[in-house]
């Protein structure tokens, strides 16, 4: 009988951890067009910056930043504005 309580307590602890992790991650994914979005992954910081600057010059997005990816093997390009902003209804 005691083993069942231990399993139940462990399961509830894991469930609580999962719910808390999901809640903390959701604002970043639910930010929509106004926030930062992933645009690509690059092998080097220089390649990421070059792509980010090219996107700004071509008015694809307003600003960019290069951050380490989920592993040490790549750099992620994050962008904000631009195409997502232009997707709304035209004002005229």
């Amino acid at each position: 009988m005691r083993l069942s309580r231990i399993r139940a307590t462990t399961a509830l602890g894991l469930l609580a951890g999962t719910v808390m992790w999901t809640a903390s991650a959701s604002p970043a994914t639910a930010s929509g067009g106004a926030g930062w979005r992933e645009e690509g992954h690059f092998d080097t910081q220089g390649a990421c910056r070059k792509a980010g600057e090219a996107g700004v010059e071509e008015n694809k997005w307003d600003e960019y930043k290069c951050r380490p990816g989920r592993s040490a093997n790549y750099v992620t390009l994050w962008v904000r504005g631009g195409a997502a902003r232009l997707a709304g209804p035209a004002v005229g």
Side-chain angles (χ1 to χ4, degrees):
M1 190 74 161
R2 183 168 173 86
L3 188 57
S4 297
R5 285 190 208 164
I6 292 171
R7 286 184 183 166
T9 303
T10 303
L12 287 174
L14 291 173
L15 178 63
T18 302
V19 169
M20 290 173 63
W21 179 82
T22 304
S24 67
S26 64
T29 58
S31 61
W36 293 93
R37 64 186 187 278
E38 280 186 45
E39 190 63 30
H41 304 287
F42 298 89
D43 292 332
T44 65
Q45 189 80 9
C48 180
R49 285 188 188 137
K50 186 175 180 180
E53 290 171 3
V56 169
E57 289 175 6
E58 296 170 7
N59 294 320
K60 288 184 178 179
W61 45 78
D62 296 333
E63 57 184 317
Y64 74 94
K65 60 183 176 181
C66 295
R67 297 290 184 256
R70 292 186 183 99
S71 70
N73 297 332
Y74 62 87
V75 179
T76 302
L77 173 63
W78 292 88
V79 299
R80 180 164 58 179
R85 184 189 70 226
L86 297 176
V91 178

